[in-house]
Structure formats: C-alpha cells, structure tokens
Amino acid sequence: MGASAGDKSGAAPPDGGWGWIVLLSCFMVVGFSYAFPKAVSVYFKELMRDFGVGYSDTAWISSIMLAMIYGSGPLSSIMVNKFGCRLVMLIGGLLASGGMIAASFATNIIQLYVTAGVLTGMGLALNFQPSLIMLGRYFDRRRPLANGLAAAGSPVFLSILSPLGQLLLDHYGWRGGFLITGGLLLNCCTCGAVMRPLGARPKGDQGAGGEPNTQGKSREMLPQEQPKKKLLDFSVLRSKGLVIYIIAKFVVVLGLFVPTILLVNYAKDQGVPDHEAAFLLSIIGFIDVFARPTCGLVAGLQWMRPKNAYFFSLALVFNGLTNLGAARCTDYTGLVIFCVFFGLSYGMVGSLQFEVLMCIVGSESFPSALGLVLLIEAVAVLIGPPSAGRIVDAYKDYELIFYMVSAELIAAGVFLSVASYCCLGRSKPENTATAKENDVEADPPLTSGNPQPLCPMEGGGNENEKDSVE
C-alpha cells in the first residue's frame, strides 16, 4: 500500500532522488491546506454585505475548513492505510475543487459552510496528511530540512493567494473568485499522482537472458499487499511525549490562526485601503518563506535534533510575544512591523511542529499519531477563530483578542518545555537500559544512522513501536 510501502518493503528512505518530486508535491499541498483558509478571508467583507451576516458568521467558513483539515485526520489515516496515499490524494483533490466550484453558486451562508467549509476542507485534509506521510517515507537524515522546505509552501501560497483573491474579487466578484480558485485546487490531483510508493520502484526487472523477471516482481510486491495492519492504532497514545505534545498543540491551535484570519479586516477597520490590507498577508508569507527552510536547517543539525522539542517551545513563546505588539498597532507602518516579526515566528512554528511529532512516534506510527493529533486540534480550531469573531462583533475590540492569543501561545510553549524536561528526566535512565537490551536482542531500527534520540520526548515511543509491529 502507498502509505507503508517504504517500511514494509524494507527500502531505506533515499533522502533524495524521487523524494525531491514528493517534496515539491508536499510543498504545494501544504501551501493550499494552510494558506487557503486564511486567504479566503479577503472575501469576507463582500460576503457580509451580500448575505447580511456578521464577521463571526463569515469566520466560520475558515474555521470549518480548518476543522475539516484537522478533524478528518483519523478518517484520512484509515483511508491511507486501506487504499494508499496516491488514491486518497486524487479523491481529495476532486473534493477540494468541487467544493469551491459549488460554493460559487451558494445563495446563503449555510451553503457556504457546506461547500467551501466541509467539502473543500475534507478535500484538503485528504491531501494534507498523506503528503506528510510520504515525505516521512522518503526522507530520514534530511527530514528536518525536508519538513522545513515543505512547510514553506504555506507562506509562499499565502503571499500569492491573498493578493490574487483581492484581484479576482475586484474583477469577477466573490463568485468568480471562488470558481477560479476551485480550478486551481485541481492541482492537488497532480500532486497526488506523483506520490509513488517507495517499495514500488522496479528492481531487477530483467531475468536471465533479458526476459522480464515477473516472478521477482511478484515476490517484491507481495509484502506490500499481504500484511495486516491496524487502520488506526490507538496504542500510540501510550507515549507520554505524544500526550504532552497533544495538550500543548490544542492550546496552540486555539490562537495560532486567529491573527492571520483577522488581520485583513483589522487593517481595513483601521482605514487601510483594501489592496494594502491584503498585502499584509503577503508580507507575512514573504518572511515566512525564508524562516521555515532556515529553521529546518538549524533543526537538522546534529547537536540540535535532540533539542528540537525545546526549540519548538521557544518558537511558540516568540510567536506569542509578537502578538502583544499587534495589540498596540494602529497604523499601517506598525502593522507591517508586526507582520515581519509574526512571519518569522510563525515560520518557526510551522517548520518544527511535524518534525517534533515525527521524532516522538517514528515513521511507523506517524500516520495514526498524526490522525489523532489533528482530530483533537479540530476542536480547538472550531473554538478559536469564531470566538474571536464574536468578540469583535460584540465589543469592536481587536486588542483583547491579541492579548488572549498571546497568552495561549506563551502558556503552551512554557508547558511543552517544562513537561518535556520532566518527562525526559524520569524516563532517560530506563530508556538507556532498554536501548542496550534492544541492541543485543532486536534488529536495528528503520531510522538507522542516527544513534541518539531525535528529541527528548521520544522515550515513550519504544513500547508503542513494538506493539505496532506485533
């Protein structure tokens, strides 16, 4: 199957080759998944006017879209384990495109919730998770850099989709803009088509005398079709590191997306012209696109990889502090300065979040762990942006929102670092003894070439991997 070919076939991650094409596809998918729900906010003023609704009502469009991306995690995990990454991504691309095309014919806000929110969000979810899984199959030693480069898709697409959306709105209205972006989302199908299973590469095609070695091919493909695998492995929740990560990410997601979703309307309410307000998201994207690969390079350094959980905590605190500055911005210059620092800190968070998760659970358990993490985060996504929109409608006060977001991110960063340190202190001696026994009794791990733990929270994953293999 596509999701597990690399592991089940015994093929080592190539850290290159076709992996660069997989990385490019993941770059595009991450770009659409993260940037599109934020960039659609440029249409909110027009939707409010056409449907006679408030800001909190229109904010539900982005929230439902993000909630579907997160909340469909377990379903995506099950489909990937059952059908493979390629087919799931092709279906997702069609759903994402069809949702936006159908949204262009909506006559009320509820229809937008169903089409742009549910259908498009589900389609993006079926692309987002499989692309990350395939990236983990193709990269090991260069995985932090690969994650950083893939995560750069979010700022690149945000810097493009936001001004593009304003341009489409000016020339074709929101209906024409939705129709055209629906066509753009068909590119997700192309991204899915290139997700070649790692174990499906032909080896030894020619037998004696130059005849095709079909018997050898059958034996090579057999391990990918026969093993029984859990569609969703809940045993990953036994990992203390994963539980800590889930709690921290829940608090993070409550406020992480709120500033970018509110920013355009915040600027417009401050008297900033529409095009300059939309350009603020492009500034965030421009800074972010350099921050993510750079952060990925730093996270991939040999001395840094065991400390990536603390590096992630630092990024969360930094992002929280930048939101404190936004609360006092009342002119365009101040908003531009905020966007520069926010783009830097936001890029650090985006580059590290899945790298830390991968190093906690390992590539074998990553599909199930990611699905469960995204499901729990979906609840936070449904709470955060709509609540912020309701506060804006009720009090016309953005300052309070930025203070709340800042407190959530700083608290999450402090909790993650303190809990990780305590977990590491309790489990390190036991894990060291276990590792010595495994060196004698067990086969070497799949992620060879890196004898030291990838992050301090990794200690709780050894038992889970054993259960998963059994």
Side-chain angles (χ1 to χ4, degrees), residues 16-143:
W18 189 256
W20 298 118
I21 304 298
V22 172
L23 174 58
L24 177 61
S25 299
C26 190
F27 172 90
M28 294 182 64
V29 169
V30 170
F32 277 123
S33 299
Y34 273 128
F36 191 75
K38 304 162 194 169
V40 77
S41 63
V42 301
Y43 299 100
F44 283 0
K45 285 285 187 183
E46 202 69 24
L47 294 174
M48 291 166 61
R49 184 162 43 247
D50 280 9
F51 295 137
V53 295
Y55 186 79
S56 61
D57 297 313
T58 54
W60 272 101
I61 299 173
S62 294
S63 291
I64 293 173
M65 199 180 296
L66 287 168
M68 292 303 299
I69 294 174
Y70 284 104
S72 302
L75 174 62
S76 183
S77 294
I78 291 171
M79 292 183 66
V80 164
N81 288 329
K82 183 71 174 177
F83 304 109
C85 291
R86 179 181 287 169
L87 179 60
V88 173
M89 291 183 68
L90 289 172
I91 295 172
L94 293 175
L95 273 178
S97 175
M100 288 307 296
I101 292 174
S104 66
F105 298 98
T107 57
N108 57 64
I109 196 70
I110 302 299
Q111 292 177 5
L112 284 179
Y113 293 161
V114 175
T115 54
V118 176
L119 290 182
T120 298
M122 173 67 76
L124 292 175
L126 296 181
N127 275 270
F128 177 64
Q129 188 170 338
S131 67
L132 291 178
I133 292 170
M134 289 302 293
L135 191 67
R137 305 297 186 200
Y138 272 86
F139 289 91
D140 178 23
R141 182 174 55 85
R142 294 175 175 171
R143 194 181 66 205

Side-chain angles (χ1 to χ4, degrees), residues 233-282:
D233 187 6
F234 288 92
S235 67
V236 295
L237 293 174
R238 297 175 189 170
S239 169
K240 293 179 182 178
L242 180 59
V243 173
I244 292 171
Y245 180 87
I246 288 174
I247 295 172
K249 278 302 297 294
F250 179 85
V251 179
V252 167
V253 174
L254 281 174
L256 184 63
F257 302 118
V258 171
T260 49
I261 292 175
L262 291 180
L263 183 60
V264 174
N265 275 18
Y266 176 42
K268 289 179 180 179
D269 288 347
Q270 297 291 335
V272 177
D274 290 354
H275 286 276
E276 292 183 11
F279 186 68
L280 290 172
L281 291 179
S282 298

Side-chain angles (χ1 to χ4, degrees), residues 27 45 73 95 119 135-136 168 170-171 176 226 238 249 256 260 306 344 349 361 364 366 407 426 443 452:
F27 172 90
K45 285 285 187 183
L95 273 178
L119 290 182
L135 191 67
L168 294 176
D170 292 342
H171 286 80
Q226 293 298 324
R238 297 175 189 170
K249 278 302 297 294
L256 184 63
T260 49
L344 178 59
V349 173
V361 300
E364 177 71 19
F366 182 70
R426 288 194 300 268
D443 293 331
Q452 61 181 341

Side-chain angles (χ1 to χ4, degrees), residues 388-458:
R390 191 160 296 278
I391 292 174
V392 170
D393 288 339
Y395 301 103
K396 306 299 180 183
D397 186 2
Y398 289 91
E399 185 175 339
L400 177 60
I401 294 173
F402 284 112
Y403 285 141
M404 292 172 57
V405 169
S406 178
E408 289 164 354
L409 287 160
I410 293 174
V414 172
F415 167 78
L416 181 63
S417 59
V418 172
S420 301
Y421 179 79
C422 294
C423 181
L424 174 64
R426 288 194 300 268
S427 62
K428 186 175 181 180
E430 180 183 349
N431 293 338
T432 303
T434 304
K436 289 182 180 179
E437 293 177 5
N438 290 341
D439 287 342
V440 177
E441 299 176 3
D443 293 331
L446 290 175
T447 54
S448 58
N450 191 9
Q452 61 181 341
L454 296 182
C455 74
M457 301 161 66
E458 194 179 20

Side-chain angles (χ1 to χ4, degrees), residues 282-333:
S282 298
I283 296 174
I284 293 176
F286 180 77
I287 301 297
D288 198 352
V289 75
F290 292 102
R292 297 195 185 212
T294 303
C295 188
L297 282 172
V298 175
L301 297 175
Q302 186 175 3
W303 61 271
M304 178 57 76
R305 291 191 80 173
K307 303 178 180 65
N308 275 345
Y310 303 117
F311 193 16
F312 184 44
S313 300
L314 177 64
L316 293 175
V317 173
F318 182 25
N319 187 258
L321 292 175
T322 60
N323 288 309
L324 287 177
R328 310 302 298 176
C329 293
T330 57
D331 58 2
Y332 189 70
T333 302

